[in-house]
Amino acid sequence: QKEVEQDPGPLSVPEGAIVSLNCTYSNSAFQYFMWYRQYSRKGPELLMYTYSSGNKEDGRFTAQVDKSSKYISLFIRDSQPSDSATYLCATLSRGDDKIIFGKGTRLHILP
Amino acid sequence: DTGVSQNPRHKITKRGQNVTFRCDPISEHNRLYWYRQTLGQGPEFLTYFQNEAQLEKSRLLSDRFSAERPKGSFSTLEIQRTEQGDSAMYLCASSPQGAVYEQYFGPGTRLTVT
């Protein structure tokens, strides 16, 4: 079992819809949880990071961590065609130096 | 622009040749990371530096790979005797002291080995 599992998609939703992207992880030692956005043939761009459980909001983006079920989510409100990209979840143990990435979910926002 | 920069952006080489990539991190970041990403996969950790010291190397980093960060600023990643399996996007990232979770990536170098 990979340490971070993520459905590769593609996920297609109409413009303006709420998007829900999810990951599961296996290592209970993970304490930091990150979401990256990656456009085609570009480097990943850090969107948000959270520590431990709870929610964090930044504009149209909300990250949610449920450590009891080892489940992390990213919600995008009022989705735009410019949100079309691959979204990578990533995790990190406290005191560790290696980020573990999921495979990424390809998202298409349909105009 | 004060983000992470990487050169070259694309490299096509023949099998058996040596290649070298360069990464310039965000200037105030003391940590620098190298990752490899293949199609449909997330980035995979290769190695990282704190200042000029290389502190960890992945099992993915065979003896043909070497990385340096001689003055704690820019870094180079060299691949000797390239193989077709080395074809991938090579990504560099940097982070501030004490914030491993806050890594900022460069645009990557896409390597194609023919």
Side-chain angles (χ1 to χ4, degrees):
Chain A
Q1 180 188 9
K2 284 187 68 73
E3 289 189 276
V4 181
E5 299 276 3
Q6 189 174 9
D7 188 329
L11 177 64
S12 298
V13 299
E15 183 176 357
I18 295 175
V19 176
S20 172
L21 301 165
N22 309 292
C23 289
T24 58
Y25 64 94
S26 57
N27 189 343
S28 57
F30 291 144
Q31 295 277 2
Y32 294 94
F33 305 92
M34 292 73 74
W35 283 97
Y36 284 82
R37 177 175 63 196
Q38 186 172 27
Y39 292 112
S40 181
R41 298 185 176 271
K42 304 288 187 184
E45 172 193 359
L46 179 63
L47 288 176
M48 303 176 70
Y49 59 85
T50 55
Y51 175 72
S52 195
S53 283
N55 292 0
K56 185 173 183 179
E57 187 174 321
D58 184 358
R60 296 185 295 112
F61 297 89
T62 299
Q64 194 172 79
V65 177
D66 182 346
K67 292 197 74 181
S68 63
S69 58
K70 299 189 178 70
Y71 198 82
I72 55 180
S73 302
L74 179 71
F75 299 97
I76 307 174
R77 291 184 298 281
D78 187 24
S79 55
Q80 306 293 312
S82 59
D83 294 329
S84 297
T86 295
Y87 288 80
L88 298 154
C89 63
T91 61
L92 177 69
S93 300
R94 191 172 185 181
D96 201 355
D97 301 300
K98 294 192 302 290
I99 288 181
I100 308 297
F101 284 88
K103 289 186 175 184
T105 298
R106 286 170 48 211
L107 174 66
H108 298 296
I109 305 299
L110 306 171
Chain B
D1 189 325
T2 57
V4 178
S5 62
Q6 291 187 247
N7 287 289
R9 295 292 308 278
H10 305 276
K11 179 72 177 178
I12 300 173
T13 191
K14 293 187 176 180
R15 189 177 50 172
Q17 298 294 304
N18 298 345
V19 294
T20 300
F21 310 140
R22 176 177 170 130
C23 171
D24 287 88
I26 294 171
S27 57
E28 58 267 28
H29 288 181
N30 70 333
R31 287 199 170 198
L32 185 150
Y33 309 81
W34 285 99
Y35 291 84
R36 180 169 66 190
Q37 186 177 26
T38 54
L39 197 63
Q41 303 295 317
E44 293 178 293
F45 170 83
L46 291 178
T47 188
Y48 89 95
F49 293 84
Q50 179 162 301
N51 299 313
E52 65 274 12
Q54 186 174 16
L55 296 186
E56 188 167 351
K57 293 194 288 187
S58 163
R59 292 190 308 272
L60 294 175
L61 215 64
S62 77
D63 291 345
R64 296 184 298 105
F65 288 70
S66 62
E68 294 183 340
R69 194 183 183 197
K71 296 183 180 179
S73 56
F74 73 91
S75 175
T76 58
L77 177 68
E78 181 184 16
I79 309 174
Q80 295 182 325
R81 305 181 304 282
T82 52
E83 301 173 356
Q84 286 189 316
D86 297 332
S87 295
M89 174 82 93
Y90 289 85
L91 293 161
C92 175
S94 67
S95 71
Q97 176 72 32
V100 178
Y101 49 85
E102 196 179 337
Q103 293 187 22
Y104 297 91
F105 282 80
T109 295
R110 182 170 296 280
L111 173 66
T112 302
V113 182
T114 61

